[in-house]
Amino acid sequence: MQKHKLLINGAWVDPSTHAWFESVNPFTAQPWAMVPRAAKEDVDKAVAAAKAAFYSPAWRGMTASARGALLVKFADLVAQEAERLATIESTDNGKLLAEMRGQLNYIPQWFRYYGGLADKIEGRVIPIDKPGVFNFTREEPVGVVAAITPWNSPLMLATWKLAPALAAGCTIVWKPSEYSSVSAFAFGELFEKAGFPPGVVNIITGFGNEVGGPLIDHPDVAKIAFTGGDKTGEHVYQAAARGIKHVTLELGGKSANIVFDDATMDEAVKGVVSGIFAATGQTCIAGSRALIHRPIHDQFVEKLLTLAKTAKMGNPLEAATQVGPVTTRPQYEKVLDYIRIAKDEGAVCRLGGNPATRPECGAGWFVEPTIFTGVNPAMRIANEEVFGPVLSMIPFDDEEDAIRIANDTVFGLAAGVWTQSIRRALTMSERLEAGTVWVNTYRAVSYMSPFGGYKRSGIGRENGAEAIYEYLQTKSVWIDIAGNAPNPFVMR
Ligand code: NAD
């Protein structure tokens, strides 16, 4: 098993603890790599390196165009290594190789997009209302960014932070999830190969309380870019408040996938399946609540069951597999707990509802694709994020009812609407309280389109031109051009 190292100040080093922990392949339930167990001392070194790099001539003195070119070079390296990186991710987090391959082939576009944006960040000349003064603005990088990422799409979610942060001129300390750190080391090697100056990207691995905690509290971290659960997000937000730091939070969801009776039913059935069973439901944008127009509810359920029953489970590295294992043992147990809770609350289990014991699932942490009908919006299963292949089906009467149920959640990450009516599509997309609304499609994301949550699903936006401003701050510069000092005792 490979014993990995931390990337601090351009060097691969052992953790100060001289301790490592196992990263486990969720399909075999066997360890396959050793991940450094960093601690506060390593956090301090990594932040110091990032701070020094931020002020270094090698980085600060680099033109925005040259910085952009470095990002584009990195994009090319990722494109060349996409297959290897995807295989590492699939082995480490159990998501389908087909899904990770798709992500890895797409990730270079983020670095190209933000690489292109790096030298198009302009200030403004303000036609100021005071005579004899010239006023303009500058957009400046905020400083050292702590990027903290979860296990479900490790490199993709890191890219959403690293690409705009580097384009803005920030430096990074990245802490990947303890459950899926291995691909970060491979990414780190490519940052070196691309020629990023030492200390611009640092990678430290370990546990949330041992590494994440000291990182978010470090006084030299200017911005925290976090993706993870809402409870951890709350903690991160408190640390940001204590340190008056910039913060972006991408948190969980309980997204509604809403099907009207005028939808193309077969397309909507596929959309609901892709919303909850793709990625084994381990996606923040999972359409975990299917809201179905009452006149078509029963027919829709039958069609959905027919399609969901055909889902092939098994080895995520095999091309035919459609549903892989749950990534972590605690998450596997959490999903099974929620299934028990739903049954106890009186929801009707129409499919699955158990650990998967099919021979093709081996020793992995598999849960059968699970569908509950008779779900009442007040049940826990309809309100809490399961983060697994568990769908709650809820009937609704009309648009007003659908809006009420869909918005009756503390979350607001995404929503899907299935209808042939343009009026309905526009009305629903306006009234749904979610950062992303898809109409007649689901689970589409792009580097060009802003992504983020309403309510407890988060703060700030990733992707699109908006995201780079999350890593910049505006300075207003005033220059006297009149040469005659006004009355010094009053405000100019
Ligand atoms: P998590 O909150 O448990 O962990 C996320 C990261 O935070 C990990 O790197 C972890 O080590 C770190 N962490 C944990 N405790 C910490 C602490 N006290 N201080 C600092 N860092 C700490 O989340 P997870 O279980 O890895 O991921 C699943 C969650 O992520 C789900 O809720 C999911 O919805 C959410 N998610 C959101 C998005 C989005 O873009 N909105 C995308 C993917 C996943």
Side-chain angles (χ1 to χ4, degrees):
M1 265 193 295
Q2 189 170 351
K3 219 169 160 185
H4 290 279
K5 289 178 185 270
L6 307 170
L7 179 60
I8 299 178
N9 205 21
W12 291 96
V13 295
D14 287 347
S16 61
T17 56
H18 300 286
W20 279 257
F21 59 94
E22 293 171 339
S23 198
V24 179
N25 174 337
F27 175 61
T28 61
Q30 294 300 316
W32 79 292
M34 298 298 288
V35 176
R37 182 170 179 172
K40 183 175 181 303
E41 198 179 322
D42 306 292
V43 170
D44 290 345
K45 284 182 194 156
V47 174
K51 185 179 175 185
F54 183 71
Y55 292 108
S56 70
W59 186 242
R60 196 135 193 181
M62 191 183 279
T63 64
S65 301
R67 218 166 50 231
L70 258 186
L71 266 80
V72 172
K73 191 169 171 196
F74 179 75
D76 293 342
L77 293 172
V78 174
Q80 285 164 22
E81 296 284 326
E83 188 66 19
R84 185 172 73 87
L85 294 167
T87 307
I88 294 174
E89 295 238 283
S90 188
T91 310
D92 211 24
N93 77 353
K95 282 175 89 174
L96 300 188
L97 179 59
E99 163 109 352
M100 302 329 288
R101 183 183 283 141
Q103 289 190 7
L104 262 301
N105 282 315
Y106 199 22
I107 282 174
Q109 288 303 102
W110 267 261
F111 289 95
R112 294 190 181 116
Y113 178 82
Y114 289 103
L117 205 51
D119 60 5
K120 292 163 196 72
I121 304 303
E122 296 165 351
R124 292 187 296 143
V125 173
I126 312 288
I128 204 77
D129 61 329
K130 298 179 193 300
V133 213
F134 182 67
N135 178 248
F136 66 97
T137 63
R138 296 169 45 85
E139 294 297 332
E140 299 183 344
V142 293
V144 175
V145 173
I148 300 181
T149 49
W151 42 260
N152 58 328
S153 289
L155 291 181
M156 176 80 115
L157 296 171
T159 291
W160 291 11
K161 297 161 180 48
L162 269 51
L166 292 169
C170 294
T171 56
I172 314 275
V173 178
W174 170 23
K175 189 208 110 43
S177 165
E178 54 271 42
Y179 292 110
S180 61
S181 297
V182 182
S183 57
F185 304 119
F187 231 41
E189 282 165 11
L190 298 184
F191 278 115
E192 280 196 297
K193 200 167 167 187
F196 281 86
V200 170
V201 178
N202 304 276
I203 301 172
I204 46 171
T205 52
F207 296 96
N209 55 344
E210 294 175 357
V211 176
L215 183 57
I216 57 180
D217 272 326
H218 199 294
D220 288 333
V221 165
K223 148 109 197 180
I224 309 169
F226 173 81
T227 299
D230 65 320
K231 289 279 180 297
T232 321
E234 216 178 286
H235 188 75
V236 168
Y237 203 17
Q238 283 165 356
R242 280 195 298 276
I244 320 284
K245 297 176 202 285
H246 299 259
V247 66
T248 322
L249 302 173
E250 293 284 0
L251 310 176
K254 194 74 200 176
S255 301
N257 213 345
I258 307 166
V259 184
F260 284 96
D261 60 357
D262 66 347
T264 308
M265 190 167 313
D266 289 342
E267 288 304 303
V269 168
K270 282 191 255 169
V272 169
V273 163
S274 87
I276 189 65
F277 298 129
T280 316
Q282 300 171 108
T283 135
C284 52
I285 48 184
S288 51
R289 294 182 298 154
L291 273 49
I292 312 294
H293 213 166
R294 206 176 293 276
I296 58 162
H297 178 271
D298 294 352
Q299 189 193 358
F300 191 90
V301 170
E302 290 311 319
K303 280 183 174 271
L304 185 69
L305 290 171
T306 306
L307 181 60
K309 274 178 193 157
T310 66
K312 290 190 180 54
M313 305 184 83
N315 186 343
L317 294 176
E318 281 171 15
T321 303
Q322 293 169 318
V323 177
V326 172
T327 299
T328 75
R329 173 108 216 162
Q331 184 60 24
Y332 167 76
E333 280 157 11
K334 180 177 157 194
V335 174
L336 293 174
D337 269 351
Y338 269 110
I339 290 174
R340 271 191 291 277
I341 291 166
K343 288 176 179 169
D344 290 348
E345 284 182 318
V348 184
C349 186
R350 300 290 299 274
L351 186 69
N354 292 302
T357 51
R358 310 177 191 193
E360 58 272 31
C361 294
W365 302 312
F366 283 84
V367 178
E368 288 286 344
T370 297
I371 296 178
F372 283 105
T373 57
V375 175
N376 163 342
M379 292 176 178
R380 282 183 66 189
I381 193 74
N383 289 288
E384 296 172 23
E385 187 185 41
V386 177
F387 219 63
V390 181
L391 178 66
S392 296
M393 304 199 67
I394 305 172
F396 67 87
D397 292 316
D398 53 25
E399 280 176 30
E400 207 55 44
D401 202 26
I403 290 285
R404 184 185 56 77
I405 300 170
N407 288 344
D408 186 18
T409 161
V410 293
F411 295 110
L413 194 58
V417 179
W418 299 83
T419 177
Q420 289 303 304
S421 157
I422 187 74
R423 182 204 57 74
R424 190 170 254 169
L426 288 170
T427 310
M428 294 296 289
S429 55
E430 184 183 327
R431 296 191 59 199
L432 284 164
E433 291 168 358
T436 295
V437 177
W438 293 290
V439 177
N440 296 334
T441 185
Y442 204 84
R443 238 179 139 237
V445 293
S446 166
Y447 51 91
M448 294 181 178
S449 186
F451 179 90
Y454 281 28
K455 306 194 275 187
R456 267 188 92 86
S457 289
I459 290 176
R461 289 294 173 269
E462 299 197 303
N463 305 340
E466 281 86 344
I468 202 162
Y469 292 97
E470 303 276 355
Y471 298 93
L472 292 165
Q473 53 194 347
T474 305
K475 180 179 280 171
S476 174
V477 182
W478 297 74
I479 302 177
D480 178 89
I481 50 173
N484 54 337
N487 180 351
F489 299 101
V490 293
M491 186 185 253
R492 187 165 186 169

